[in-house]
Amino acid sequence: MMQQPLVAGIDIGGTNIVYGLVTSEGKILTKGSMATALFPEIELLVKTVTDKIFQLLEDFPQHKLIGCGIGAPNGNFYTGNIEHAPNLVWKGIVPLASLFEKALGVKSVITNDANAAALGEMLFGSAKGLTDFILITLGTGLGSGIVTGGKLLYGHDGFAGELGHWIVKPGGRPCGCGRRGCLETYCSATGLVKTYKEITQTLAPVTAKEIYERALQYDMHALKAFEITGETLGLALANAVTVTSPQSFVFFGGLANAGEIVFKSLRLSFEKNLHIIYKNKVQLLLSSLNENDGAVLGAASLIWNEHA
Amino acid sequence: MMQQPLVAGIDIGGTNIVYGLVTSEGKILTKGSMATALFPEIELLVKTVTDKIFQLLEDFPQHKLIGCGIGAPNGNFYTGNIEHAPNLVWKGIVPLASLFEKALGVKSVITNDANAAALGEMLFGSAKGLTDFILITLGTGLGSGIVTGGKLLYGHDGFAGELGHWIVKPGGRPCGCGRRGCLETYCSATGLVKTYKEITQTLAPVTAKEIYERALQYDMHALKAFEITGETLGLALANAVTVTSPQSFVFFGGLANAGEIVFKSLRLSFEKNLHIIYKNKVQLLLSSLNENDGAVLGAASLIWNEHA
């Protein structure tokens, strides 16, 4: 019997680690997850995830593991390392791709989570058939993955595509990166909360989800906070177009799910600020991937993309 | 006798048209120029330049023309056209590459002048051996050509790399593109003059060259105008790094020749605003090409690059 190829996709987050087995058609046959906090030692993480993957594989004797793709904050495609990720417990340089390659016995590749998501959209989602697009993840922060000419843009050192750290307001809000005024301090779930608190001049704790629910009930302050978020993002993306001239932006993640509440002002600001040579050429698309599956699919796409 | 290959390089500017014959080593064997205003009809331009090129070739019987590269404002590599160039007399869409291809009987390719200059630097100038860099032309406006993975970044429609039209100050100075606050209204010879006039609060006519001469004599206002120009450009370039993660910027054109008078504040602002993952990785280089030859060399590089 011919064995069908399978790829392991692993998404490393600050809170959870999700892993799954993915077919060449982008179907997740099975998956699981664990709390990241359980693994202060990286070696234990690799051993545990590897054991789980081998266990899962036993249920699919007609399939064969051919590779492993990993999405992780500050994951570097060129070196195979996680490098100085501020939100992970493992400090410094962690050679995660080579650790998994040894443990699993198959080719293992890493990149950052937004890059992985961009590949996932290109192979299995809204960006299918596109050669030039920018994926924007709107979650706690703002991540981006840039595809040009059908390939992920890595830059000379693997760190291209960090639009979240564009300084859009010099001297503005403090950012986790140590500087001020970065795009993600305005356009992210965290940024939305800050904007809302500024508008309402309150210190009372509130979540992005609560602001969304208030906006659904036509709360003026909540609607205004979303409007400002969309305006700021629209200008930044219009500027990004002048760099790589993409066909589309694809939006993924919690804040993107707010739909027209954020996209109405985003679209207006984007078109208003777009240079005439790009007008009416650039589509704003929502991810078509299930939010829970996108990260694992994206990670697995690192391998499937080279087998296409 | 084996004939050596030669490429015609043609630079189309708002004021002058410069053409030359270029060897595979980037040597300009001969060149000439004409005023753009002489040619309200594009057909006449093509015929005249073609005649001149054939005439020049007669002096080099041991050489053979194998291609023609053209650098022109709004030149589109994909379509071969000049498209809606605001500063040229020919309006709308001008199929310049195909006109020259018919007239000269060799493969003819076009791109915008900054893209051509980027290729020129990669093949024959400061960017020799680099795979990821951004060329910045600082003249009347600000142009850019982006190289990633050893290739010019064109984007899906040929219009990638227009950093001069990044909106850096929303609602700021009016730009020729019809919007406000574009980078080139601050960081260019024209922008420098505007900044100087703002500082001195005078309407008296002054040129960028005169401001430079005053700065050389420690004129405070002139020095301040250069300082502001460098600061604004440094922030924009630090932001550009987050997109394509280049190894270097290469600066070309009149304002770049001001040397430390502009680069001191540019370098300080660039390093200050750079995200930590890129710090001390990105070089700021001056073009090593002769300013008069760079445009023709760049245009010819469009052909030589494909024969490398």
Side-chain angles (χ1 to χ4, degrees):
Chain A
M1 188 185 66
M2 253 278 278
Q3 283 185 309
Q4 295 292 311
L6 267 188
V7 166
I10 304 173
D11 176 58
I12 311 269
T15 311
N16 286 306
I17 290 153
V18 189
Y19 52 91
L21 297 176
V22 181
T23 71
S24 61
E25 289 86 32
K27 196 177 158 200
I28 300 180
L29 294 184
T30 178
K31 62 174 183 166
S33 72
M34 309 178 301
T36 311
L38 296 173
F39 307 98
E41 300 292 325
I42 192 75
E43 290 76 13
L44 184 61
L45 167 84
V46 173
K47 190 182 177 328
T48 310
V49 173
T50 301
D51 287 350
K52 292 276 184 191
I53 287 173
F54 283 141
Q55 218 173 306
L56 293 178
L57 276 167
E58 284 175 13
D59 292 340
F60 301 92
Q62 70 282 35
H63 287 77
K64 188 188 169 198
L65 192 71
I66 63 155
C68 169
I70 309 156
N74 291 35
N76 187 323
F77 177 76
Y78 288 139
T79 62
N81 301 331
I82 295 178
E83 304 186 8
H84 308 287
N87 300 323
L88 295 178
V89 283
W90 317 293
K91 295 305 167 199
I93 291 183
V94 182
L96 200 60
S98 74
L99 289 173
F100 270 111
E101 186 153 319
K102 264 179 229 152
L104 287 167
V106 293
K107 185 182 178 183
S108 299
V109 183
I110 196 170
T111 191
N112 74 47
D113 33 350
N115 282 345
L119 280 185
E121 294 291 340
M122 185 167 76
L123 266 59
F124 308 119
S126 290
K128 223 185 260 185
L130 297 184
T131 54
D132 295 85
F133 69 96
I134 299 180
L135 176 111
I136 302 286
T137 63
L138 292 171
T140 317
L142 185 153
S144 65
I146 304 176
V147 171
T148 65
K151 289 184 179 169
L152 257 182
L153 183 61
Y154 285 115
H156 87 283
D157 58 354
F159 286 126
E162 291 287 345
L163 299 191
H165 291 289
W166 241 357
I167 296 176
V168 294
K169 304 213 172 150
R173 293 180 182 166
C175 180
C177 73
R179 301 174 306 159
R180 282 181 171 271
C182 289
L183 183 62
E184 77 170 11
T185 67
Y186 298 90
C187 302
S188 63
T190 326
L192 176 75
V193 169
K194 282 188 184 149
T195 303
Y196 181 79
K197 286 184 173 176
E198 278 176 16
I199 294 171
T200 55
Q201 304 216 318
T202 167
L203 296 171
V206 61
T207 66
K209 191 156 179 288
E210 284 161 356
I211 300 171
Y212 172 65
E213 280 154 6
R214 290 175 200 181
L216 282 182
Q217 288 158 36
Y218 306 102
D219 175 295
M220 255 182 52
H221 296 317
L223 287 169
K224 187 73 190 168
F226 273 104
E227 189 187 321
I228 292 173
T229 305
E231 271 176 16
T232 308
L233 188 54
L235 171 60
L237 298 188
N239 280 344
V241 169
T242 68
V243 189
T244 68
S245 195
Q247 299 155 288
S248 298
F249 287 91
V250 180
F251 298 90
F252 180 84
L255 197 57
N257 299 334
E260 280 307 295
I261 287 178
V262 65
F263 279 99
K264 193 180 162 194
S265 64
L266 168 58
R267 203 180 296 113
L268 279 174
S269 160
F270 180 69
E271 288 293 337
K272 187 187 88 180
N273 288 304
L274 209 52
H275 187 286
I276 190 165
I277 56 173
Y278 310 111
K279 278 230 197 277
N280 304 314
K281 284 186 186 174
V282 192
Q283 287 185 293
L284 304 183
L285 304 172
L286 274 178
S287 165
S288 61
L289 300 178
N290 177 312
E291 203 185 335
N292 295 318
D293 293 348
V296 166
L297 269 184
S301 300
L302 275 167
I303 299 290
W304 284 127
N305 188 43
E306 308 201 345
H307 284 256
Chain B
M1 188 184 67
M2 254 278 276
Q3 281 185 309
Q4 295 293 310
L6 268 189
V7 166
I10 304 173
D11 177 57
I12 312 269
T15 311
N16 287 305
I17 290 153
V18 189
Y19 52 90
L21 297 176
V22 180
T23 71
S24 61
E25 288 88 32
K27 196 176 160 201
I28 300 180
L29 295 184
T30 178
K31 64 174 181 166
S33 73
M34 308 177 301
T36 311
L38 296 173
F39 307 99
E41 300 292 324
I42 192 76
E43 289 77 12
L44 184 62
L45 167 85
V46 173
K47 191 183 173 332
T48 310
V49 173
T50 301
D51 288 349
K52 292 276 183 190
I53 288 173
F54 283 141
Q55 218 173 309
L56 292 178
L57 276 167
E58 285 177 13
D59 293 339
F60 301 93
Q62 70 283 36
H63 287 78
K64 188 189 168 194
L65 192 70
I66 62 156
C68 169
I70 309 157
N74 290 38
N76 188 322
F77 177 76
Y78 288 139
T79 62
N81 302 331
I82 294 179
E83 304 185 8
H84 309 286
N87 300 322
L88 295 179
V89 284
W90 317 293
K91 296 304 166 199
I93 291 183
V94 182
L96 201 60
S98 73
L99 288 174
F100 271 111
E101 187 153 316
K102 265 180 229 154
L104 287 167
V106 292
K107 184 181 179 183
S108 299
V109 184
I110 196 170
T111 191
N112 75 46
D113 33 350
N115 282 345
L119 280 186
E121 295 293 339
M122 185 168 76
L123 266 61
F124 308 119
S126 289
K128 222 184 261 187
L130 298 184
T131 55
D132 296 84
F133 69 96
I134 299 180
L135 176 111
I136 302 285
T137 63
L138 291 171
T140 316
L142 185 152
S144 66
I146 304 176
V147 171
T148 66
K151 288 182 180 168
L152 256 182
L153 183 62
Y154 286 114
H156 86 284
D157 59 353
F159 286 126
E162 290 288 344
L163 299 191
H165 291 288
W166 242 357
I167 295 176
V168 294
K169 303 213 173 150
R173 295 181 182 165
C175 180
C177 74
R179 302 174 305 160
R180 283 180 170 273
C182 290
L183 183 61
E184 76 171 11
T185 67
Y186 298 91
C187 303
S188 62
T190 326
L192 176 74
V193 169
K194 282 188 185 148
T195 303
Y196 181 79
K197 286 182 173 175
E198 279 176 16
I199 294 170
T200 55
Q201 304 216 317
T202 167
L203 296 170
V206 61
T207 66
K209 192 156 179 288
E210 285 162 354
I211 300 170
Y212 173 64
E213 279 154 8
R214 290 175 200 180
L216 283 182
Q217 286 159 37
Y218 305 103
D219 175 295
M220 254 181 54
H221 297 316
L223 286 169
K224 187 72 189 169
F226 273 104
E227 189 187 320
I228 291 172
T229 305
E231 270 176 18
T232 307
L233 187 55
L235 171 59
L237 298 188
N239 280 343
V241 169
T242 68
V243 189
T244 67
S245 195
Q247 299 155 289
S248 298
F249 287 92
V250 180
F251 299 90
F252 180 84
L255 198 58
N257 299 334
E260 279 307 295
I261 287 178
V262 65
F263 278 100
K264 193 180 163 193
S265 65
L266 168 58
R267 201 181 296 113
L268 279 172
S269 162
F270 180 70
E271 287 294 337
K272 186 186 90 183
N273 288 305
L274 209 53
H275 187 285
I276 189 165
I277 55 173
Y278 309 111
K279 276 227 198 278
N280 304 314
K281 283 186 185 175
V282 191
Q283 287 186 294
L284 305 182
L285 303 172
L286 273 179
S287 164
S288 62
L289 300 179
N290 177 311
E291 204 185 335
N292 294 317
D293 293 346
V296 166
L297 268 183
S301 302
L302 275 167
I303 298 290
W304 284 127
N305 188 44
E306 307 200 347
H307 285 258

